[in-house]
Amino acid sequence: MAIIEISNLKKSYDKIEVLKQISFDVNNNDVVAVIGPSGSGKSTMLRCLVDLEKIDAGSIRVCGEELVKDGIYSQPQKIKQITTKMGMVFQHFNLFPHLTVKENIELAPKLVKKESVANIHERSMKILKKIGLSKFTNVYPAKLSGGQKQRVAIARALMMEPEILLFDEPTSALDPELTGEVLEVMKDLAEEKMTMIVVTHEMGFAKEVANKVIFMDNGVIEESGPPNSLFTNPQSARTKAFLSRNLK
């Protein structure tokens, strides 16, 4: 069953078309890797899903509810209700430097969900243990490595108990030796059947973990399919050219 349905998405900045007729579905428990050259519209598409960017035309349905239909958005309260079903992990960690790890990940549930302190604390301890950071509860972001910061950012997203996680190039700001620890957390989430859309340059992750790969170029979906098909027998000349440069 489709948990996200994207139909004929269009987005322009001034007269520059960034997204052109983007359409695809994401089923429950899917791990969808979105690959392609820089500037192809991947991050913009992801930001449109959580209403950080407004589309010009098209439709987005999340968990059967209309975020936007034929370019017309739902009411603000409905949009907020829909977007809270999705958690977003950005390329840059965006942690509050004046808050500890625990305070960073507990802030949103306190402000948005109005949960009890006891419930939030219990969940934060479980999540920090899951991602291997239970010893860093009271540490400030300045004392963390890039990989640790990104794992905190993942924990922050998980604290809102989303049905879908969106990752916007989560390892591209990291040194190569720190990338692995973040990818391991993402692999664990995939094994736990978390639905994920991952914009990534990590071809190994896309091949190993994703069950669907989308190749975007110049604002369109040039090709999509299961990784064993797309990586070994790409049909598009543009896909072939991209993979020849990026597969090692």
Side-chain angles (χ1 to χ4, degrees), residues 218-238:
N218 195 30
V220 301
I221 293 177
E222 182 70 18
E223 188 169 349
S224 65
N228 58 354
S229 168
L230 189 138
F231 283 113
T232 59
N233 189 29
Q235 301 301 301
S236 159
R238 284 199 280 182

Side-chain angles (χ1 to χ4, degrees), residues 23 54 62 103 130-131 145 175 204 221 227:
S23 298
K54 296 290 187 185
V62 179
E103 290 167 340
K130 178 203 288 265
I131 64 168
S145 70
D175 294 332
I221 293 177

Side-chain angles (χ1 to χ4, degrees), residues 14-224:
D14 295 323
K15 294 184 179 179
I16 300 171
E17 276 191 300
V18 181
L19 300 176
K20 311 167 187 174
Q21 301 286 108
I22 296 290
S23 298
F24 67 95
D25 290 349
V26 178
N27 292 324
N28 200 26
N29 307 139
D30 271 354
V31 178
V32 178
V34 185
I35 63 172
S38 297
S40 58
K42 307 183 301 294
S43 295
T44 300
M45 178 273 294
L46 214 59
R47 291 172 66 85
C48 289
L49 298 186
V50 287
D51 198 43
L52 292 174
E53 300 279 357
K54 296 290 187 185
I55 65 170
D56 300 320
S59 302
I60 301 171
R61 283 169 60 92
V62 179
C63 300
E65 297 184 277
E66 305 282 1
L67 178 70
V68 51
K69 183 175 183 179
D70 299 328
I72 300 171
Y73 278 85
S74 295
Q75 293 299 313
Q77 190 60 36
K78 183 75 175 290
I79 291 173
K80 182 180 178 182
Q81 175 192 336
I82 293 170
T83 54
T84 54
K85 297 177 186 292
M86 296 177 280
M88 183 89 166
V89 179
F90 298 91
Q91 177 179 348
H92 299 288
F93 328 112
N94 299 333
L95 301 178
F96 291 110
H98 63 290
L99 300 180
T100 65
V101 166
K102 180 174 179 288
E103 290 167 340
N104 261 284
I105 73 171
E106 291 185 353
L107 183 62
K110 285 178 184 174
L111 295 180
V112 179
K113 286 195 161 190
K114 312 291 187 187
E115 288 184 76
S116 73
V117 172
N119 282 353
I120 292 171
H121 176 70
E122 182 181 0
R123 190 158 75 254
S124 69
M125 291 301 99
K126 283 182 181 176
I127 289 174
L128 288 174
K129 184 177 181 181
K130 178 203 288 265
I131 64 168
L133 290 178
S134 53
K135 294 179 181 178
F136 295 83
T137 305
N138 297 312
V139 173
Y140 289 91
K143 299 290 187 182
L144 301 176
S145 70
Q148 289 167 336
K149 289 176 186 174
Q150 193 59 292
R151 282 189 280 158
V152 174
I154 294 171
R156 180 178 57 192
L158 290 172
M159 282 294 292
M160 293 298 286
E161 302 180 294
E163 296 183 43
I164 304 140
L165 274 181
L166 310 179
F167 293 86
D168 187 9
E169 301 194 20
T171 61
S172 62
L174 302 178
D175 294 332
E177 63 267 24
L178 300 176
T179 295
E181 64 189 62
V182 174
L183 293 178
E184 280 303 315
V185 171
M186 295 169 66
K187 288 176 187 175
D188 290 344
L189 291 171
E191 289 174 5
E192 294 170 10
K193 304 299 184 185
M194 171 63 77
T195 305
M196 299 192 284
I197 305 177
V198 185
V199 171
T200 184
H201 290 293
E202 296 291 337
M203 296 299 112
F205 175 87
K207 289 172 72 175
E208 180 185 347
V209 182
N211 65 305
K212 181 178 182 180
V213 180
I214 292 172
F215 172 66
M216 285 182 65
D217 191 15
N218 195 30
V220 301
I221 293 177
E222 182 70 18
E223 188 169 349
S224 65

